Amino acid sequence: MKKTSSVFYWMTIPAFILFFVFHTLPALQGIFYSFTDYIGFGDYNFVGFRNFINLFSDGRAFDAYIFTFKFAIVSTILVNILSLLVALGLNSKIKLKNTFRAVYFVPYMLSILVVGYIFNHIFTFIIPELGRSFGIEILSRNILGNMDLAWIGVVILAVWNSSGFNTLLYLSGLQTVPDELYEVAKIDGAGKWDQFKHITFPLIAPFFTINIVISMRGFLMVFDHIMALTEGGPGRATESITLLIYNGGFMGGEFAYQTANAVIFLLVVLAVSFFQLKVLQKREVSY
């Protein structure tokens, strides 16, 4: 037993040290600097909660939070609807099922920056050219240059990129549903919608919870998609919280101030995730 225990210690302690050094320690340092006026180098002074207080009157931070939540909510809804529909199709008895599964998962494996630059080219040149060729006014302009429509381009990229992973999770859930239940439902005269409503969705509710929480958390921390498509523009129309923290903290001389912003954002993400888990898990129990 002692020899076995020592083996597990040798397996876990190095991993714990690496996690602490590269994750926990920097996080603690960030919380410490959020109470100072540190600009990233040189001396600093303690300022207490001044950075946190100033954030509540920062219009730019407020706009970034509004955009981030709007983007995250819309993207989470769309990606889960699309992924569930695709998973239902891939779980049915169709030919080339494994091939389709691989094809749908490919976008998640690609570098988001590379894909983002490709989408940037599509939105900037290809779609407007097609719109002009076919006389479709709404498509003849680059939406990434429109302050009211640029966020839609980011949503399209995010949903396309993330749907493969969500589809995989939904497929895992659908494969746990016994076929016998559908056979009994057919005998009782239940249609496809009744089967989905009363059998499929209740049994995959835990997977739905996981997908919603993971999607929302990931979209709240969106960064690469925006950097590749708009860099926060036009103006600041697509500036997310993570992009604001990056630009202000590492390029704008607001290291401590944006670190305080990051601490608040961390608490917000944790609160949203906890709320989602509590609400959705209660729904699972009700089924």
Side-chain angles (χ1 to χ4, degrees), residues 86-104:
V86 172
L88 289 169
L90 294 177
N91 194 56
S92 61
K93 297 178 181 179
I94 60 174
K95 294 182 179 180
L96 303 175
K97 183 161 54 178
N98 292 331
T99 302
F100 282 120
R101 289 177 180 179
V103 169
Y104 279 109

Side-chain angles (χ1 to χ4, degrees), residues 88-145:
L88 289 169
L90 294 177
N91 194 56
S92 61
K93 297 178 181 179
I94 60 174
K95 294 182 179 180
L96 303 175
K97 183 161 54 178
N98 292 331
T99 302
F100 282 120
R101 289 177 180 179
V103 169
Y104 279 109
F105 192 70
V106 166
Y108 185 75
M109 300 172 60
L110 301 175
S111 169
I112 189 59
L113 284 175
V114 174
V115 174
Y117 290 128
I118 294 174
F119 268 72
N120 190 318
H121 181 79
I122 292 173
F123 284 127
T124 304
F125 299 104
I126 297 179
I127 292 180
E129 184 63 30
L130 290 175
R132 286 189 289 268
S133 298
F134 291 99
I136 305 175
E137 180 65 23
I138 193 173
L139 297 178
S140 62
R141 298 178 182 178
N142 176 18
I143 63 172
L144 299 181

Side-chain angles (χ1 to χ4, degrees), residues 65-272:
Y65 272 94
I66 293 297
F67 165 76
T68 301
F69 271 92
K70 179 177 71 172
F71 164 81
I73 291 171
V74 173
S75 298
T76 299
I77 293 172
L78 291 179
V79 78
N80 278 277
I81 292 174
L82 176 62
S83 299
L84 182 55
L85 291 175
V86 172
L88 289 169
L90 294 177
N91 194 56
S92 61
K93 297 178 181 179
I94 60 174
K95 294 182 179 180
L96 303 175
K97 183 161 54 178
N98 292 331
T99 302
F100 282 120
R101 289 177 180 179
V103 169
Y104 279 109
F105 192 70
V106 166
Y108 185 75
M109 300 172 60
L110 301 175
S111 169
I112 189 59
L113 284 175
V114 174
V115 174
Y117 290 128
I118 294 174
F119 268 72
N120 190 318
H121 181 79
I122 292 173
F123 284 127
T124 304
F125 299 104
I126 297 179
I127 292 180
E129 184 63 30
L130 290 175
R132 286 189 289 268
S133 298
F134 291 99
I136 305 175
E137 180 65 23
I138 193 173
L139 297 178
S140 62
R141 298 178 182 178
N142 176 18
I143 63 172
L144 299 181
N146 188 314
M147 295 188 67
D148 297 323
L149 301 177
W151 71 281
I152 297 177
V154 184
V155 168
I156 293 172
L157 171 59
V159 171
W160 180 85
N161 175 249
S162 304
S163 59
F165 178 75
N166 293 67
T167 300
L168 182 65
L169 290 181
Y170 280 127
L171 270 173
S172 301
L174 290 171
Q175 290 173 0
T176 64
V177 181
D179 292 334
E180 292 80 4
L181 295 178
Y182 295 114
E183 294 175 2
V184 173
K186 289 179 181 178
I187 294 174
D188 291 338
K192 291 293 184 181
W193 171 249
D194 290 326
Q195 292 177 31
F196 175 79
K197 181 180 179 181
H198 298 291
I199 298 176
T200 305
F201 192 76
L203 291 179
I204 67 169
F207 295 88
F208 178 76
T209 299
I210 293 171
N211 264 333
I212 290 292
V213 174
I214 291 178
S215 299
M216 190 69 176
R217 183 195 63 84
F219 291 137
L220 282 173
M221 296 189 293
V222 61
F223 180 82
D224 293 347
H225 308 74
I226 296 174
M227 283 295 294
L229 278 183
T230 64
E231 296 184 0
R236 299 195 188 104
T238 59
E239 186 176 56
S240 66
I241 291 297
T242 52
L243 186 62
L244 173 61
I245 292 171
Y246 171 77
N247 287 333
F250 293 99
M251 302 173 64
E254 301 176 341
F255 186 88
Y257 181 68
Q258 294 302 335
T259 300
N261 194 6
V263 172
I264 291 178
F265 187 53
L266 171 63
L267 296 176
V268 169
V269 172
L270 290 175
V272 170

